[in-house]
Amino acid sequence: APKGPTQLSVTEGHGQAVMFGKVNLNEAPVLSARYDIRNIPTYLLMKEGMLIERMVGTTPKTVLSDKIARLL
């Protein structure tokens, strides 16, 4: 999925350890329901396939970066 400036700067230096995906809620209702995604944006922080944390709404880059760094 195309990345915005925040996602690009957050992933810098992490290679493939950090990935962002974009889901159209109307086109993927099963996936949206599986992860209970109702608002945009929703960030799901996952590690080894397990949901670790959910952030809903606009999230400052520093908060997103800090949370990701703790998972790596």
Side-chain angles (χ1 to χ4, degrees), residues 2 4 8-9 11 15-19 24 30 37 39 46 51 53 55-57 60 62 64-65 69 72:
L8 284 172
S9 64
T11 58
Q16 292 186 5
V18 176
M19 296 184 298
N24 182 314
V30 173
I37 300 171
N39 298 302
M46 303 177 85
L51 179 62
E53 186 169 348
M55 293 181 289
V56 178
T62 54
L64 189 56
S65 293
L72 296 177

Side-chain angles (χ1 to χ4, degrees), residues 3 5 8-9 19-20 25 27 30-32 34 36-39 41 49-50 56 71:
K3 296 177 189 171
L8 284 172
S9 64
M19 296 184 298
F20 283 87
L25 302 181
E27 293 177 6
V30 173
L31 185 62
S32 302
R34 178 179 179 185
D36 194 30
I37 300 171
R38 298 174 189 214
N39 298 302
M50 302 290 294
V56 178
L71 290 176

Side-chain angles (χ1 to χ4, degrees), residues 32-48:
S32 302
R34 178 179 179 185
Y35 291 105
D36 194 30
I37 300 171
R38 298 174 189 214
N39 298 302
I40 300 171
T42 297
Y43 293 100
L44 303 177
L45 300 181
M46 303 177 85
K47 187 169 187 170
E48 298 176 7

